[in-house]
Amino acid sequence: CALIAKRGKEDAIVRKEVIDKEVCTDCGTCTSKFQCPAISKVDEIRSIDQTLCSGCAVCEQVCPSKAIKGEK
């Protein structure tokens, strides 16, 4: 399930997703179509709340501009 985090040996999240604002085309796929609860748009800037991100990487797969990338 995409809502279950990818976890390591100690049951810790091993990656987080971030939006590269220089690559983002502001298409809205991540907020209007995918609707991940960790992704929001505030003051015309899309961002991922790291406390809500489970590290599932589905947003990375659905982003047509490849602006979302995983970080360890």
Side-chain angles (χ1 to χ4, degrees):
C1 174
L3 298 176
I4 298 173
K6 293 181 180 180
R7 304 210 180 256
K9 290 182 181 179
E10 291 83 32
D11 205 33
I13 296 172
V14 293
R15 69 183 272 145
K16 292 286 187 172
E17 300 298 322
V18 293
I19 298 174
D20 184 340
K21 295 180 181 27
E22 292 182 15
V23 178
C24 179
T25 60
D26 200 32
C27 68
T29 300
C30 60
T31 51
S32 64
K33 294 180 182 174
F34 178 56
Q35 297 182 353
C36 172
I39 303 174
S40 62
K41 184 175 181 179
V42 178
D43 296 330
E44 302 303 313
I45 298 172
R46 293 185 201 287
S47 62
I48 299 176
D49 183 338
Q50 297 302 311
T51 59
L52 296 175
C53 178
S54 68
C56 71
V58 176
C59 59
E60 189 174 341
Q61 297 169 30
V62 300
C63 179
S65 61
K66 305 298 181 206
I68 303 175
K69 300 187 177 20
E71 283 188 345
K72 287 190 176 192

